[in-house]
Amino acid sequence: MNNILEVKNLTKNYGKSRGVSDVNLEIEKGTIYGFIGPNGAGKSTTIKCIMNLINKNSGEVFIDGKLFLKKNNELKNKIGYLPSEVNLYDGLKVKEMIKYSESFYKKDCSKRISELVNKLDIDVNKKIEELSLGNLKKVGIVLALMHEPEIVIMDEASSGLDPLMQEAFYEILLEEKKKGTTIFFSSHILSEIKRICDKVAIIKEGKIINIDDMNNIEDSDVVRIKITSDYNKDIVKELKLSEDSIKNETLEFIYKDDINNLMKILSKYNIKKLLIEELDIEEIFIHYYK
Amino acid sequence: MLKRELKINLKSLIIWTGILVLMFALIFAIYPSLINEETKYMITKMMDTMPDDILATFNMDIVGIETAYGWFKTEGYTFLTLIGGLYAAIVGATILVKEENDKTIEFLISKPISRESIVTSKILCGMINILILSGLVTIVNFICLRNIEDFELKEFLIISLLPMLLYFMLFFITLFLSTFFKKTRSSMSLGIAIVFISYLMQIIGGMGEKVEFIKNISLFEFVSSRYVILNNTVDTKYLIAGAVIILLTILGTYKRYHDKEFL
């Protein structure tokens, strides 16, 4: 059994609004598995079903080969969870919060706690209600990792962290991976998924539409090109683009093929300005996965 | 978890116990100086003008309030049940749903603790707090009253401790009802409403035979001190009915909480 987490035929309906349907995931031990999709696609619903926060309409979740039910505390020991919004107990100091969390595990976590606190630069004497969103997230990361879980499940993990802290966070995740920890994390930011994930599942409108190795996704890069040139019309003709691509003297289009081919074509013209941008995830869904 | 629960609920326990203890201590301290021949005459005269039903509601037809202990069995008992009942209802209505209200439930559920254990910790915490409140109020009242006059110990103890049945009923009913809510504000409003409506039902139900049925379903009637004063024992039929209500609401709470969704 090489899968630490398996989701089988998971379906969840919320009355009128969309949930998820027939989600299947197999997460191998020791990988960083990205779960990506636009807002409202069903990432949080899937994760909340996995964590038994909400009830499934059908389907099963297995942790380390064993059916994961609400009562299963043994399996919960193996899981670290970071919700998208970290909410902790007002009135407690950070160190008291960490201690309270530690009290649920029958082991001494102090060494790992101090490592994480140092790495994330957390002031443990602050009160929970004094923390900014980013700092709250950092405490959440400590709470998710302190007991050295076998699998860490994170919902929108890096949101709220400043760029420097994001770096520290990615570093921690890669270190965890080296130790053999599996990480399953959802995001709507493609670049962070690209950076650290081995495998990625893409969810759209409640359905998994693609599961792939990160390498394959990276190979099929899609970019947005913006060109300002007096020869916009000729370029449109040569690239067989629609006339609508020209807006206010700027030619703008999504490009999926080999970028070198494009460069060869463009080199023939006098270009005033050229911008090549990464698409955000929403656009990728519209242009690439439709 | 229980340790932490007791800690965070300590403040409100101190406040509510403080209110009751101070109120009783203060009244018992000044009561003897208020009562003399003149005021006794005035009280008797005033009571003569009151309808019998009203007097019966406060047990003033069977107990005189010219002694501090007499006051405790009549008006004092109303304060004891009403204020203590409010405390129990508020604790029950908020202790469990607070985790969802503050969204800390996501943290709690991810820890190796079952939903049942969460409920158990909350129930134990609520029960311990109610026992402490009742216990402290009883001890303080005993000390105060003993310094003033003689009274019958058995009756005093029954009257002091019987309200715990009401407290536990209110605690478990509001705890169960709170499983239908996600916000403490709504569940707390309902809890407080139950206390006052139930109290009013007992008062209105005492106004005449036609409306007596209203009284019989009031939670306050379960712990009516009238029966104790007349019979020097508790009414077992209400004791059993109360226990059944408590048991059913406990089972209901566990069931509802097990199935509840934390969105």
Side-chain angles (χ1 to χ4, degrees):
Chain A
M1 177 52 69
N2 242 348
N3 293 329
I4 180 82
L5 169 65
E6 263 182 82
V7 178
K8 284 187 179 164
N9 310 107
L10 169 69
T11 295
K12 169 72 187 172
N13 303 315
Y14 290 117
K16 276 181 202 160
S17 65
R18 191 173 56 219
V20 295
S21 82
D22 206 27
V23 168
N24 284 285
L25 295 167
E26 287 184 3
I27 288 117
E28 243 177 86
K29 274 184 188 168
T31 51
I32 301 190
Y33 198 109
F35 189 41
I36 193 159
N39 291 329
K43 301 188 294 288
S44 289
T45 301
T46 307
I47 286 176
K48 284 185 170 175
C49 279
I50 294 173
M51 291 307 297
N52 285 323
L53 280 158
I54 52 178
N55 302 322
K56 310 163 191 72
N57 287 105
S58 62
E60 287 159 332
V61 171
F62 295 86
I63 299 284
D64 211 9
K66 293 184 193 91
L67 188 63
F68 182 38
L69 299 171
K70 282 176 188 164
K71 280 187 178 185
N72 214 323
N73 294 335
E74 275 304 301
L75 293 180
K76 278 193 191 176
N77 276 312
K78 296 178 188 240
I79 304 174
Y81 173 57
L82 178 68
S84 58
E85 239 178 79
V86 178
N87 290 289
L88 303 170
Y89 297 95
D90 285 356
L92 285 187
K93 285 185 178 167
V94 171
K95 59 182 173 191
E96 292 166 332
M97 184 66 229
I98 292 173
K99 204 158 188 178
Y100 180 47
S101 177
E102 191 185 8
S103 72
F104 291 99
Y105 301 99
K106 292 174 191 112
K107 67 194 247 190
D108 178 19
C109 312
S110 49
K111 194 172 154 254
R112 184 69 183 132
I113 290 169
S114 65
E115 275 173 23
L116 289 164
V117 165
N118 288 333
K119 189 150 266 174
L120 289 163
D121 193 21
I122 295 173
D123 180 357
V124 292
N125 289 312
K126 272 204 168 174
K127 287 209 161 182
I128 293 295
E129 63 267 33
E130 294 166 3
L131 298 180
S132 66
L133 268 181
N135 282 329
L136 212 48
K137 195 95 190 186
K138 290 200 279 186
V139 178
I141 293 168
V142 176
L143 299 181
L145 296 173
M146 56 187 270
H147 57 291
E148 299 180 79
E150 289 179 36
I151 175 159
V152 185
I153 298 173
M154 300 177 154
D155 196 359
E156 301 287 349
S158 68
S159 66
L161 293 176
D162 63 52
L164 269 178
M165 270 309 136
Q166 269 182 21
E167 285 304 316
F169 173 61
Y170 296 148
E171 221 174 90
I172 289 172
L173 291 190
L174 292 169
E175 264 171 38
E176 285 290 329
K177 185 192 161 185
K178 256 187 217 160
K179 285 196 285 183
T181 313
T182 312
I183 292 151
F184 176 65
F185 88 107
S186 81
S187 174
H188 62 277
I189 303 159
L190 191 64
S191 58
E192 76 174 10
I193 293 266
K194 266 185 181 173
R195 211 168 131 195
I196 57 169
C197 290
D198 304 302
K199 211 166 181 181
V200 65
I202 297 161
I203 185 164
K204 190 187 175 190
E205 292 172 8
K207 288 196 172 86
I208 300 284
I209 55 169
N210 196 5
I211 294 179
D212 215 335
D213 279 353
M214 206 56 237
N215 298 335
N216 300 339
I217 303 264
E218 275 177 302
D219 289 343
S220 55
D221 265 350
V222 187
V223 288
R224 178 193 289 110
I225 310 284
K226 283 183 187 169
I227 298 167
T228 314
S229 165
D230 294 333
Y231 303 96
N232 276 350
K233 284 189 178 165
D234 303 299
I235 300 171
V236 164
K237 233 178 242 172
E238 186 155 359
L239 288 169
K240 293 180 186 132
L241 298 169
S242 133
E243 287 283 341
D244 300 343
S245 308
I246 304 173
K247 287 168 204 151
N248 302 331
E249 296 180 16
T250 305
L251 170 59
E252 188 180 326
F253 57 97
I254 305 294
Y255 191 75
K256 296 181 197 173
D257 301 328
D258 187 349
I259 197 88
N260 293 302
N261 295 338
L262 179 71
M263 298 323 272
K264 270 179 211 156
I265 295 168
L266 292 184
S267 66
K268 292 188 265 180
Y269 300 98
N270 182 21
I271 307 280
K272 285 183 190 158
K273 198 172 164 190
L274 170 65
L275 274 175
I276 302 176
E277 293 174 339
E278 259 192 293
L279 296 189
D280 62 34
I281 187 78
E282 299 277 350
E283 289 170 306
I284 296 198
F285 283 113
I286 294 164
H287 294 283
Y288 185 64
Y289 295 109
K290 64 182 166 188
Chain B
M1 189 180 165
L2 178 61
K3 208 172 109 194
R4 183 178 144 68
E5 283 303 320
L6 289 169
K7 207 174 150 192
I8 51 175
N9 285 290
L10 184 64
K11 208 164 129 190
S12 75
L13 174 68
I14 292 173
I15 292 172
W16 285 89
T17 310
I19 290 173
L20 276 170
V21 163
L22 282 179
M23 185 193 73
F24 281 119
L26 203 69
I27 289 172
F28 290 146
I30 59 168
Y31 210 83
S33 63
L34 290 179
I35 299 297
N36 51 39
E37 286 308 314
E38 198 184 333
T39 47
K40 260 189 199 172
Y41 174 74
M42 276 167 64
I43 291 171
T44 321
K45 221 176 154 192
M46 185 186 74
M47 282 171 55
D48 283 345
T49 64
M50 283 189 177
D52 288 348
D53 286 339
I54 299 273
L55 289 177
T57 304
F58 295 98
N59 293 328
M60 286 180 194
D61 56 335
I62 49 171
V63 181
I65 56 166
E66 64 275 7
T67 63
Y69 182 58
W71 175 84
F72 172 66
K73 286 198 286 187
T74 53
E75 284 176 7
Y77 191 76
T78 303
F79 286 121
L80 186 63
T81 48
L82 201 57
I83 296 174
L86 269 176
Y87 170 71
I90 290 172
V91 173
T94 55
I95 197 163
L96 198 53
V97 79
K98 194 173 186 311
E99 300 281 353
E100 286 156 83
N101 187 71
D102 299 349
K103 294 183 179 164
T104 46
I105 190 68
E106 275 195 294
F107 161 79
L108 211 48
I109 287 285
S110 73
K111 300 291 141 192
I113 179 170
S114 67
R115 292 183 179 209
E116 285 71 16
S117 305
I118 294 174
V119 176
T120 306
S121 294
K122 302 276 184 184
I123 286 179
L124 284 177
C125 174
M127 290 178 76
I128 290 170
N129 279 350
I130 289 171
L131 284 172
I132 292 174
L133 177 126
S134 278
L136 282 177
V137 172
T138 305
I139 291 167
V140 171
N141 284 350
F142 177 77
I143 294 168
C144 291
L145 281 171
R146 206 182 49 177
N147 286 331
I148 303 170
E149 62 208 34
D150 286 334
F151 55 88
E152 202 200 332
L153 186 63
K154 186 187 170 192
E155 189 190 61
F156 167 78
L157 284 177
I158 295 177
I159 285 186
S160 294
L161 299 176
L162 185 62
M164 275 204 288
L165 176 67
L166 172 77
Y167 302 162
F168 284 135
M169 278 196 297
L170 282 167
F171 172 75
F172 285 111
I173 289 171
T174 53
L175 184 77
F176 170 66
L177 292 175
S178 80
T179 63
F180 292 87
F181 294 92
K182 293 189 187 307
K183 295 270 170 220
T184 44
R185 209 175 46 189
S186 345
S187 62
M188 192 160 82
S189 308
L190 180 68
I192 293 170
I194 288 173
V195 176
F196 282 114
I197 290 168
S198 196
Y199 178 68
L200 282 177
M201 276 160 67
Q202 192 197 30
I203 301 286
I204 295 165
M207 299 291 177
E209 274 176 29
K210 274 185 188 167
V211 283
E212 211 180 334
F213 68 97
I214 300 176
K215 185 167 125 182
N216 291 337
I217 52 169
S218 162
L219 294 174
F220 283 80
E221 193 59 18
F222 282 63
V223 295
S224 166
S225 59
R226 192 175 188 82
Y227 189 91
V228 183
I229 295 164
L230 292 173
N231 304 292
N232 202 19
T233 182
V234 289
D235 191 345
T236 38
K237 130 178 133 261
Y238 274 119
L239 212 55
I240 292 166
V244 170
I245 290 176
I246 289 171
L247 196 71
L248 288 177
T249 46
I250 289 177
L251 291 175
T253 303
Y254 277 104
K255 169 83 181 106
R256 287 265 326 154
Y257 208 68
H258 182 268
D259 298 338
K260 198 170 186 185
E261 298 208 287
F262 304 121
L263 293 172

